[in-house]
Amino acid sequence: MNPSKTIKLLEERLARAEAKLAEKAELEGFARESETRHRLLIGTWAQAVWETDAAGVVTADSPSWRAYTGQTLEEWLGDGWLNAIHLDDRAYAERQWREAMAARHLVNAEFRLRAPDGGWRWTNVCAAPVFDASGNIEKWAGINIDIDARKRAEEALRESEARYRNLFETMRQGYLENELIRDASARGRLPHRIGQSTIRTANRHPGGRSGRPHRARACQGTRSCVDRDL
């Protein structure tokens, strides 16, 4: 082969290799930049970011989880994360996690999580399986979003609505009772008015001399009349 042609061929191959390397470097730069933006985005609204192995067991540290819950690394590893969940929510949280792993689908659950100060805060946990090229689960990736303010606002709203419902019910009951009393009172006076004696003075002495009672006749709504002293 002509040496000049060989050199030219090598130069062309070298140029193509350099182009591919440059393209790869550019793609890797885009990937790093995208990952940085992704992590920054998650970090702005997620309080904890963590991973587990394919079986759902924690094997890697998560400083954000430990800062959010106050757990130590030893307390966090394995299934220790369950101990950071409120006792009343623990069975529910574990069931959601196990069912998601069995079905290989997303986890989206809300429960109370221990805070570093010893209190409890509501959190929304979201996790998803990460698959390898063969379609097998390689690991699980998850985040925790603090929703304590929203939960407390919802609870305050429910309490306020309950108070207004009770107040309305009390007012309605009072109104009904008042109407019943008024109705019963009206029915009680009606016979009294109908049966009230109609007094007609009779045989009134001329001049109305004192010392002698006037005689009157009271008719009780019947044909019989009864003389009464007035």
Side-chain angles (χ1 to χ4, degrees):
M1 180 180 293
N2 191 321
S4 60
K5 291 183 177 180
T6 302
I7 294 174
K8 185 177 180 181
L9 181 60
L10 291 174
E11 289 176 346
E12 290 176 353
R13 290 181 179 179
L14 180 61
R16 287 196 296 268
E18 289 177 347
K20 288 183 178 180
L21 287 174
E23 182 180 1
K24 182 180 179 181
E26 185 178 5
L27 291 175
E28 289 177 348
F30 286 149
R32 285 193 299 270
E33 183 179 352
S34 176
E35 183 180 1
T36 300
R37 286 197 300 266
H38 180 66
R39 289 183 179 276
L40 181 61
L41 178 62
I42 291 178
T44 57
W45 52 275
Q47 280 63 49
V49 181
W50 45 268
E51 293 181 353
T52 74
D53 63 12
V57 178
V58 176
T59 58
D61 187 17
S62 171
S64 57
W65 170 275
R66 292 191 289 106
Y68 185 45
T69 63
Q71 281 191 314
T72 65
L73 177 59
E74 291 73 19
E75 291 172 334
W76 154 245
L77 293 175
D79 293 326
W81 57 274
L82 284 169
N83 296 324
I85 299 175
H86 193 286
L87 186 60
D88 293 342
D89 302 335
R90 195 170 298 170
Y92 160 78
E94 184 174 13
R95 184 172 63 254
Q96 292 291 308
W97 179 241
R98 303 304 177 193
E99 289 177 356
M101 286 194 300
R104 296 158 60 97
H105 62 56
L106 299 176
V107 180
N108 187 2
E110 297 179 354
F111 48 78
R112 286 163 291 183
L113 201 61
R114 192 180 76 187
D117 61 4
W120 301 96
R121 298 186 66 84
W122 280 94
T123 186
N124 176 208
V125 59
C126 300
V130 178
F131 298 95
D132 61 18
S134 301
N136 299 315
I137 294 179
E138 181 180 347
K139 60 183 179 181
W140 289 78
I143 59 174
N144 282 79
I145 304 170
D146 190 277
I147 58 172
D148 194 68
R150 191 200 82 194
K151 282 290 189 177
R152 293 184 186 278
E154 290 174 351
E155 180 63 23
L157 180 60
R158 284 193 295 268
E159 292 177 355
S160 177
E161 290 175 345
R163 285 196 299 269
Y164 277 110
R165 281 196 300 269
N166 292 336
L167 177 60
F168 176 78
E169 183 61 26
T170 301
M171 294 173 62
R172 189 177 73 89
Q173 186 65 25
Y175 173 78
L176 292 176
E177 290 177 358
N178 185 56
E179 288 297 302
L180 289 174
I181 292 172
R182 291 177 58 185
D183 185 58
S185 178
R187 288 199 303 269
R189 288 196 303 271
L190 190 59
H192 177 67
R193 289 196 300 269
I194 294 175
Q196 187 176 14
S197 298
T198 303
I199 306 300
R200 294 180 302 179
T201 59
N203 301 323
R204 187 182 297 275
H205 190 276
R209 292 194 301 269
S210 61
R212 295 185 60 186
H214 296 292
R215 304 293 294 174
R217 179 167 293 181
C219 300
Q220 301 291 339
T222 65
R223 292 182 179 178
S224 61
C225 295
V226 180
D227 288 337
R228 293 183 179 178
D229 291 334
L230 295 177

